[in-house]
Amino acid sequence: MVSGTVGVSTALGAVLVSLLAAPAQAAVPAGTAPEARVAAEDLAAPDDAGLREVLRTALAQGAPGAMVRVDDNGTVHRLSEGVADRVTGRPLSTTDRFRVGSVSKTFTAVVLLQLVDEGKLALDTSVNSYLPGLLPDDRITVRHLLSHRSGLYDYTNDMFAQTVPGFEAVRNKVFSYQDLVDLSLEKPLNNAPGAAYSYSNTNFVVGGMLIEKLTGQSVRTQYQQRIIAPLKLTGTSYVHPDTAIAGRHANGYLPPDEAGSLVDSTEQTVSWAQSAGAIISTPRDLNTFFSALLGGRLLSAAQLAQMQQWTPVNSTQGYGLGLRRRDLSCGVSVYGHTGTVQGYYTYAFTSKDGKRSVTALANTSNNGTVLTTLSRTLESAFCGKPQTTAAARSTAAVNQVERYEDIAPAIARD
């Protein structure tokens, strides 16, 4: 059963209480990569027909369901195709909860940068100053972790070298943070600290360890007190090591590397990721979170500026501190994160001023074609209708960079 829904509504929305007395915007520090600065009111209107075409293409490429929600300064666009549950045939809804994967990294980065604001943490201090003896090189700083420049090897490359067997081996397993760091340290550093961008889940596992060491509380408690409760993210939770997603949710479906049946991957501990990827949320909540972040409601102007010091990833992307920047074909830059966890692909991004946000989901993974296709929701949401054939070709070229996943990042999944 395949179904489609669409809805557009206008609402004032709840006013988010500012957590810090900070300006709504912060200038990007000198010396960082250039980016387009376009206010939400200057963006082209979202292209609902284009969004619908992207979702239907994802289904044709193997996703059981796909959805997108755009919050545009009070106007809401909701589109969905396909099913949340292949057994019951229940249609996917933009109100469904799902596993957000590496979008969790931005939550972790926000908590750490709030600790910087509170004087409990310094970005350019050695991680070993806070966690003595943990890492093999005293030169690795907190900034290196958050910008993926530590050189720490990503243990998921080995853990998920074989997709389904790797997943089933850890589906119900509970790791400690130290267990995961130990797996990483079985391999040498990828590069000298600070020398190069190299995406690694290990960085944000260590980030979770820092949060718990400096606050004396669990990551779950810190997410709840600092982000989830203040922003009223009612569909967001961190349940590790529990395996179930509470309430109405999208099931995740994991294809094997070779021909075979899809695996329902919904229930798992996500203990292999924890502070690098175990949050559960909804499109509304993720849009609220990224709007609040870029709108200056979660961090001081100084820390928001630090978050936007970009390390080049390729010609169209930069990585800050737990935050991605993507430069679209229409000259607009958007800010957020991608997420991959078994059975779920997520894109969650917002405009420079936080007034237009989009979250898109496909309830599959291990499918590089769907991953590339889903990225096109950003073009339709922020650039509007394509104006020329040349622009369409440009968009297609940009999308070709989506070859790797947030888990096992050294392994191409296309």
Side-chain angles (χ1 to χ4, degrees):
M1 174 180 175
V2 176
S3 65
T5 62
V6 61
V8 178
S9 64
T10 302
L12 293 177
V15 177
L16 298 175
V17 178
S18 176
L19 302 184
L20 294 165
Q25 290 294 331
V28 176
T32 58
E35 56 190 302
R37 295 175 174 84
V38 180
E41 57 265 27
D42 297 324
L43 295 172
D47 177 13
D48 283 352
L51 291 169
R52 173 72 70 202
E53 186 273 332
V54 170
L55 301 184
R56 288 177 173 171
T57 299
L59 262 62
Q61 294 168 339
M67 65 178 174
V68 62
R69 172 173 169 141
V70 182
D71 284 86
D72 184 18
N73 203 21
T75 299
V76 183
H77 302 247
R78 305 176 184 88
L79 299 97
S80 60
E81 292 282 339
V83 298
D85 187 324
R86 295 178 70 241
V87 174
T88 67
R90 181 177 71 78
L92 186 65
S93 166
T94 56
T95 61
D96 284 345
R97 298 174 182 176
F98 56 92
R99 300 192 183 278
V100 308
S102 287
V103 180
S104 305
K105 290 179 171 66
T106 311
F107 284 71
T108 298
V110 165
V111 173
L112 289 168
L113 288 169
Q114 287 184 358
L115 292 172
V116 173
D117 272 329
E118 294 164 12
K120 298 175 182 176
L121 182 69
L123 289 172
D124 296 311
T125 295
S126 170
V127 172
N128 283 346
S129 295
Y130 303 105
L131 299 167
L134 178 69
L135 301 182
D137 194 321
D138 287 341
R139 294 175 297 170
I140 297 174
T141 67
V142 177
R143 187 187 300 276
H144 291 151
L145 295 180
L146 296 184
S147 58
H148 290 297
R149 294 184 299 128
S150 69
L152 290 167
Y153 179 76
D154 194 322
Y155 57 87
T156 67
N157 291 331
D158 302 312
M159 188 177 284
F160 301 123
Q162 292 184 300
T163 298
V164 171
F167 167 66
E168 294 294 4
V170 301
R171 179 198 282 263
N172 295 306
K173 192 167 183 177
V174 177
F175 295 92
S176 70
Y177 284 128
Q178 187 67 57
D179 290 336
L180 300 176
V181 173
D182 288 346
L183 289 174
S184 170
L185 297 183
E186 290 176 0
K187 299 289 180 68
L189 298 181
N190 295 321
N191 49 258
Y197 171 86
S198 181
Y199 190 95
S200 176
N201 286 284
T202 310
N203 292 314
F204 282 79
V205 167
V206 177
M209 296 177 79
L210 283 169
I211 289 171
E212 297 196 349
K213 175 65 177 294
L214 294 173
T215 66
Q217 295 181 318
S218 68
V219 163
R220 180 194 302 200
T221 298
Q222 288 294 297
Y223 289 153
Q224 184 68 33
Q225 292 181 353
R226 293 174 178 272
I227 301 172
I228 295 172
L231 296 182
K232 297 181 173 60
L233 306 183
T234 57
T236 301
S237 59
Y238 181 84
V239 302
H240 172 268
D242 292 344
T243 60
I245 302 176
R248 180 175 165 133
H249 60 270
N251 284 15
Y253 294 98
L254 179 62
D257 293 323
E258 307 297 335
S261 301
L262 294 176
V263 173
D264 187 325
S265 54
T266 309
E267 293 200 356
Q268 58 165 305
T269 63
V270 201
S271 194
W272 62 266
Q274 300 186 53
S275 51
I279 284 176
I280 295 163
S281 194
T282 66
R284 174 198 170 276
D285 281 6
L286 292 185
N287 286 354
T288 298
F289 169 66
F290 281 108
S291 289
L293 176 57
L294 269 292
R297 301 186 187 97
L298 288 173
L299 298 173
S300 68
Q303 298 317 317
L304 185 57
Q306 292 291 329
M307 198 175 210
Q308 296 177 80
Q309 291 194 26
W310 307 110
T311 298
V313 174
N314 54 42
S315 62
T316 61
Q317 298 185 45
Y319 202 94
L321 302 183
L323 188 71
R324 292 190 185 275
R325 190 197 81 233
R326 295 177 64 98
D327 307 324
L328 304 181
S329 64
C330 57
V332 172
S333 292
V334 294
Y335 310 85
H337 216 287
T338 51
T340 301
V341 65
Q342 290 88 354
Y344 303 91
Y345 281 143
T346 304
Y347 281 81
F349 285 82
T350 193
S351 57
K352 182 66 178 179
D353 56 11
K355 292 183 179 179
R356 181 181 297 181
S357 296
V358 58
T359 292
L361 169 82
N363 59 343
T364 191
S365 64
N366 196 31
N367 186 328
T369 306
V370 170
L371 177 64
T372 298
T373 292
L374 200 65
S375 72
R376 290 167 41 208
T377 57
L378 303 180
E379 294 284 336
S380 293
F382 292 101
C383 295
K385 296 180 180 179
Q387 298 301 308
T388 65
T389 302
R393 284 198 298 267
S394 173
T395 299
V398 168
N399 289 335
Q400 291 307 309
V401 304
E402 293 293 342
R403 298 185 64 243
Y404 297 91
E405 296 193 350
D406 295 323
I407 56 174
I411 301 174
R413 296 295 191 189
D414 60 352

